[in-house]
Amino acid sequence: LISGPGCPVCVTTQREIDAFIELSKVDDVVITTFGDLMRVPGTKSSLQKERADGRDIRMVYSTFDALEIARKNPGKKVVFLGVGFETTAPTIAASVCSARQLSINNYYIYSAHKLVPPALDALMSMDDTRIDGVILPGHVSLVIGTNAYRPFFDRHRIPCVVAGFEPADLLRAISMLVVQQEFDSPKLENAYPRAVTPDGNRKAKEIMHEVFKPVDASWRGIGTILQSGLEIKNEF
């Protein structure tokens, strides 16, 4: 079993990490972020080090915590660092919509989101790629649904199974991949049906697409992947 491309923080580029750190140095800016970004080293510093040096960097548990900070501090520019896959993008999009509805004009998103299906395509298109099957991520699949992988599967005809997180879920997914491989019958299957459906969470996808549009994005360790990131639409 080979892990990859990696967690959202793992594939965030050095340039983006450095940009986060530089933003924290701007007057009247409050940086809000999930905790997993705090200790990631930039070229010369980290968010944790900058906070220790007096920058206003606050760890939050949801985007709506960041939105509340913006509401309570109208004289500050509150920036939420949007790092994540399709799992977190809808919640961030929802906070942007709420900011508009509540006329909170000092709330900002730095969008460094990544999309999983384009990354799978990029991996399979690399020279000398030898992958027998793909365990598809349960948390992402819960949002986008198994049908989102259909174009990837149809192009590459490689065994694909959505897996959950419990040991039994993973073992079931591996077993299904082995059967597909042994009988040379590649399929797109779901070993996590209690959470993942063919169409995923339609409401989450709708709000994500309402606020964001796909753009080319750079991945640490991989490079630029076409249409693999999310950018906030001009109207927001």
Side-chain angles (χ1 to χ4, degrees), residues 1-219:
L1 298 179
I2 301 172
S3 179
C7 71
V9 173
C10 301
V11 299
T12 300
T13 63
Q14 195 73 57
R15 179 179 59 81
E16 289 167 328
I17 298 296
D18 286 342
F20 299 160
I21 292 167
E22 289 305 311
L23 269 176
S24 74
K25 300 176 183 179
V26 177
D27 291 340
D28 296 328
V29 165
V30 178
I31 295 293
T32 56
T33 178
F34 295 141
D36 51 0
L37 270 176
M38 293 295 292
R39 297 176 65 184
V40 179
T43 303
K44 297 179 180 179
S45 185
S46 69
L47 291 172
Q48 187 177 55
K49 182 178 183 302
E50 293 300 325
R51 185 168 70 167
D53 289 343
R55 310 295 181 189
D56 197 346
I57 301 170
R58 308 186 194 185
M59 190 172 70
V60 296
Y61 293 100
S62 80
T63 50
F64 287 92
D65 291 340
L67 190 60
E68 182 64 10
I69 291 171
R71 188 186 68 80
K72 291 180 176 179
N73 295 272
K76 300 281 189 177
K77 298 179 178 69
V78 177
V79 181
F80 181 81
L81 305 181
V83 172
F85 292 136
E86 294 93 335
T87 318
T88 54
T91 64
I92 293 170
S95 73
V96 172
C97 290
S98 293
R100 169 186 269 188
Q101 292 166 0
L102 297 170
S103 297
I104 298 175
N105 299 316
N106 61 324
Y107 179 62
Y108 301 84
I109 301 293
Y110 189 120
S111 180
H113 294 93
K114 304 291 191 293
L115 302 174
V116 168
L120 297 175
D121 261 324
L123 289 174
M124 289 303 299
S125 300
M126 290 179 179
D127 293 335
D128 301 322
T129 298
R130 293 190 301 166
I131 298 174
D132 298 312
V134 179
I135 298 176
L136 299 169
H139 57 314
V140 169
S141 303
L142 189 148
V143 173
I144 66 175
T146 54
N147 287 339
Y149 303 105
R150 181 63 58 184
F152 165 78
F153 174 77
D154 289 341
R155 271 192 294 272
H156 301 285
R157 304 301 296 181
I158 183 173
C160 295
V161 179
V162 175
F165 301 96
E166 297 295 325
D169 294 325
L170 288 169
L171 288 172
R172 183 184 181 195
I174 293 167
S175 174
M176 292 165 74
L177 286 171
V178 169
V179 170
Q180 290 186 40
Q181 185 71 17
E182 288 189 345
F183 287 91
D184 193 23
S185 60
K187 298 184 182 75
L188 172 57
E189 295 186 300
N190 183 10
Y192 196 29
R194 68 181 183 275
V196 175
T197 63
D199 292 327
N201 186 324
R202 293 183 181 180
K203 187 171 183 179
K205 289 190 294 183
E206 285 172 3
I207 196 165
M208 179 171 68
H209 295 310
E210 180 184 356
V211 173
F212 293 111
K213 63 181 180 181
V215 291
D216 299 347
S218 183
W219 296 55

